[in-house]
Amino acid sequence: MIDLRSDTLTRPTAGMRQAMAGAEVGDDVYAEDPGLNALQQRVAGLLGHEAGLFTPSGSMANLLGIWALVQPGQEVVCDVRAHIARAEMGAHAALHGITMRTWDSADGLTDAATIGALITPDAGPYLVSTAAVSIENTHNFGGGTVWPMHDLLQISALCRDAGVGLHLDGARLWNAHVATRVPLAEYGRLFDTVSVCFSKGLGAPVGSMLVGSAQVIERARVQRKRLGGGMRQAGILAAAADYALDHQLDRLEDDYLAARAFASALAETAPWAIDVSTGPQTNIVVLDTGARAAVEVVAEARAAGVLLTAVGPRTARAVTHLDVTRDECAAAGRIAGEVLSRS
Ligand SMILES: *Cc1c(COP(=O)(O)O)cnc(C)c1O
């Protein structure tokens, strides 16, 4: 089986396990885990922010980041396919009383003019006020797309001028950074809060982080405990994240090359399923299943030895990662292409 369902499937490497086994630990609810404290400083610094807070999942990092910017009864504006809108089980509404409005797009990206026309800061007594905008970079269901820097600069200025908060769901910001070589802090500084995941392409088994101002992170620490996200000897996980940043960040380039190999092999038999002139930009390939239901295509690909995910009625997703080789991805692309060209 060539498993391309997600880059969350990666298992810790031997070196990572060794680093975890040797971690010095303390109780992080008392803020006494030395490795975790150092990791929070390290990642905040990398992203150009004052402070960081380790979380068990990226969903919790997003939940806390948006909570810090939006009051109950206010809204966050995001893309129609955003992870916060589709994949976090309504948590922002269910737990924090936050509503969402979305812009439509095919690839998860938009421009400052669209966001400017959508937001309603201080909307008064009859309409919902927009308190934050959330951007996802890279964009997962948009096909691993990378935001152009000039759009981010304009959106950041727009939100600052409007007094609207700006959150970055940077679960795969690492992949955007490796694709563009834009320094992480140059991205980070444009946002009030940023979430990142260590458990995706970086290959750590567990863990994400929220960064922001010292004040935001102090408040988020209390809310994390309230949500049951206070962990104890989490330095074992911090050691995995540190190891990932030291040894498994630059190799995200390999995942991009593997995604290209998958896409070109697929395009040879089913050229209509993917536009290889525009993508993939990183490690995610979203393919159009044409006249066939995505779930059917996914089931037939599984029978032929390739695991994909249906992400829409007529769209399926392949994600490359640490535990699959470029040759395996090319083979998977050929198999997926054959399945797609059956009528
Ligand atoms: C995976 C992911 C997250 C976080 O997911 P968890 O499974 O909660 O860690 C957040 N945003 C995006 C875009 C993701 O792909």
Side-chain angles (χ1 to χ4, degrees), residues 57-59 62 83 88 136 140 169 171-172 197 199-200 208:
S57 68
S59 296
N62 283 336
H83 192 277
E88 297 180 5
E136 191 175 307
N140 179 355
D169 178 350
R172 295 188 184 79
C197 290
S199 55
K200 302 269 166 90
S208 293

Side-chain angles (χ1 to χ4, degrees), residues 66-290:
I66 289 166
W67 168 86
L69 303 174
V70 187
Q71 302 288 320
Q74 295 182 326
E75 70 182 7
V76 59
V77 166
C78 62
D79 182 74
V80 71
R81 288 178 189 78
H83 192 277
I84 63 164
R86 285 200 67 202
E88 297 180 5
M89 317 316 289
H92 302 266
L95 303 175
H96 291 157
I98 293 168
T99 62
M100 287 178 183
R101 255 177 336 121
T102 54
W103 65 79
D104 201 0
S105 76
D107 58 4
L109 316 183
T110 190
D111 54 21
T114 304
I115 293 178
L118 197 56
I119 58 173
T120 52
D122 304 320
Y126 305 120
L127 294 172
V128 177
S129 292
T130 309
V133 169
S134 182
I135 298 283
E136 191 175 307
N137 194 19
T138 67
H139 202 282
N140 179 355
F141 297 129
T145 43
V146 178
W147 281 77
M149 197 60 184
H150 69 265
D151 288 320
L152 294 179
L153 284 163
Q154 284 179 7
I155 292 163
S156 180
L158 170 85
C159 289
R160 200 174 43 244
D161 292 347
V164 166
L166 187 57
H167 174 74
L168 172 62
D169 178 350
R172 295 188 184 79
L173 186 64
W174 316 110
N175 303 72
H177 159 68
V178 166
T180 61
R181 292 292 160 190
V182 171
L184 290 160
E186 236 171 85
Y187 283 124
R189 270 196 285 270
L190 301 176
F191 298 86
D192 298 297
T193 49
V194 180
S195 68
V196 289
C197 290
F198 307 111
S199 55
K200 302 269 166 90
L202 283 185
V206 179
S208 293
M209 195 174 291
L210 178 72
V211 304
S213 69
Q215 197 190 4
V216 158
I217 294 303
E218 195 183 318
R219 288 174 57 218
R221 194 174 177 87
V222 175
Q223 186 67 2
R224 182 186 68 174
K225 181 77 161 63
R226 199 171 275 136
L227 294 171
M231 294 183 284
R232 304 296 176 171
Q233 285 71 37
I236 293 204
L237 302 176
D242 257 323
Y243 183 91
L245 290 173
D246 290 339
H247 302 285
Q248 296 179 177
L249 176 57
D250 287 331
R251 66 152 303 286
L252 292 176
E253 175 80 14
D254 300 342
D255 293 349
Y256 161 68
L257 294 170
R260 285 222 73 98
F262 174 91
S264 344
L266 183 138
E268 276 175 33
T269 40
W272 44 268
I274 178 174
D275 183 357
V276 284
S277 68
T278 56
Q281 298 176 21
T282 55
N283 69 324
I284 299 178
V285 185
V286 168
L287 41 112
D288 184 346
T289 59

